[in-house]
Amino acid sequence: MEVVVPVLTPFNKEGSIDKDLLKSHVQNLLDKGVDAIFVNGSTGLGPSLSKDEKKLTLSTVAGVTNKVIFQVGELNLNNVLELVKFSSDYDIMAIASYSPFYFTRLPEKWLANYFSSIISASKHPVYLYNYPLATGYDISAKVVSKYNLDFAGVKDTNQDLSHTLEFKSTFPKMKVFNGSDTLAFYSLLTLDGTVASMANPIPAVFSKMKEYVKNGDLRSALSLQRVIISLVEISRKYGHLASLYVMTETVQGYSVGYPRPPIFPLDDSESKALKGEIESFVKGLMPR
Ligand code: ELE
């Protein structure tokens, strides 16, 4: 059972990646008990990072830990394969990719071709990052089965837990994660773990929840899940991705820089209002 953090990518005001902030944030997440770091995910603004920036986030995070899943997805398959090749010099757990996006009505077979190219090129295990709401394509357990795609794992970002469970029942050996913060408790209980963006600001809540689940104290675990849901509801009001930067700074007490437009940083009054709303959690008994 694992808590995986899709790590946010710290930018400076000019829009370049701040490697030092990324490193120290990753170290803190590990110190607080998270199990692995998902690099270039949605929370890491992966779809808006260049190929070279994706390399930079990997080399930076891999300098801190080898518990890394490296997301390589792009709309240019040559770039994707270059990233796969780049990853072979690093000792990491796995690579991952979301499916091609934006282009409508791509035949399923082309999506399968995209993933088989990655699987054949990678020396690391390959995880599917399935996020139908974002990509427009659902690479379900049935699709994976139909095209014999040899994934070692899947991160299914889906509000429908039964959709994620189908991967586990179809492929018992596959590592299966759900990527929704609101289902983290259920993912820890029924799958191989959770990939949770809220673990950026509150990593210790997630590791504590995992401990409760392990010890069978499901009531206490569920009470932490409720805290997480409340924080997600607050963050969505201001824009979830940008809010995570303010929340992380507020709860953890250090800066993680800024997001990069088109994910616009919150302005001063929004940041102040958001901080005010989460203050009760910070002051309360919640583990941080
Ligand atoms: C999730 C999103 C899901 C996290 C990543 C993640 O960032 O790579 O609002 O539940 O769709 O995909 O945070 O957000 P919701 O795995």
Side-chain angles (χ1 to χ4, degrees), residues 21 31 42 70 72 88 102 104 138 165 187 193 236 247-248:
L21 292 185
D31 292 346
S42 310
F70 176 49
V72 298
S88 66
Y102 185 82
T104 54
D138 182 16
L165 283 164
S187 311
R236 283 186 183 159
M247 288 176 146
T248 303

Side-chain angles (χ1 to χ4, degrees), residues 6 38 41-43 129 131 155 157 159 179-180 195 197 236:
F38 192 88
S42 310
T43 307
Y129 180 5
Y131 192 0
K155 170 171 74 141
T157 295
Q159 284 303 311
S180 301
V195 184
S197 62
R236 283 186 183 159

Side-chain angles (χ1 to χ4, degrees), residues 230-247:
S230 307
L231 287 175
V232 168
E233 281 166 3
I234 294 171
S235 76
R236 283 186 183 159
K237 282 196 292 188
Y238 298 87
H240 178 66
L241 292 174
S243 294
L244 288 173
Y245 289 76
V246 174
M247 288 176 146

Side-chain angles (χ1 to χ4, degrees), residues 246-263:
V246 174
M247 288 176 146
T248 303
E249 178 164 355
T250 307
V251 183
Q252 296 303 317
Y254 55 80
S255 167
V256 279
Y258 306 90
R260 182 171 64 188
I263 307 303

Side-chain angles (χ1 to χ4, degrees), residues 94-121:
I95 66 165
S97 181
Y98 32 70
S99 86
F101 50 96
Y102 185 82
F103 297 110
T104 54
R105 300 181 193 88
L106 295 179
E108 205 175 75
K109 193 176 152 206
W110 297 1
L111 302 171
N113 283 347
Y114 169 90
F115 286 111
S116 3
S117 312
I118 295 176
I119 292 168
S120 331

Side-chain angles (χ1 to χ4, degrees), residues 123-168:
K123 75 160 213 190
H124 296 297
V126 179
Y127 285 21
L128 164 66
Y129 180 5
N130 187 43
Y131 192 0
L133 185 65
T135 63
Y137 292 101
D138 182 16
I139 314 298
S140 63
K142 283 191 184 65
V143 174
V144 172
S145 182
K146 181 171 166 192
Y147 292 93
N148 274 318
L149 298 169
D150 191 16
F151 289 118
V154 57
K155 170 171 74 141
D156 190 32
T157 295
N158 208 305
Q159 284 303 311
D160 176 3
L161 191 66
S162 66
H163 184 278
T164 314
L165 283 164
E166 202 179 335
F167 284 99
K168 202 71 206 169

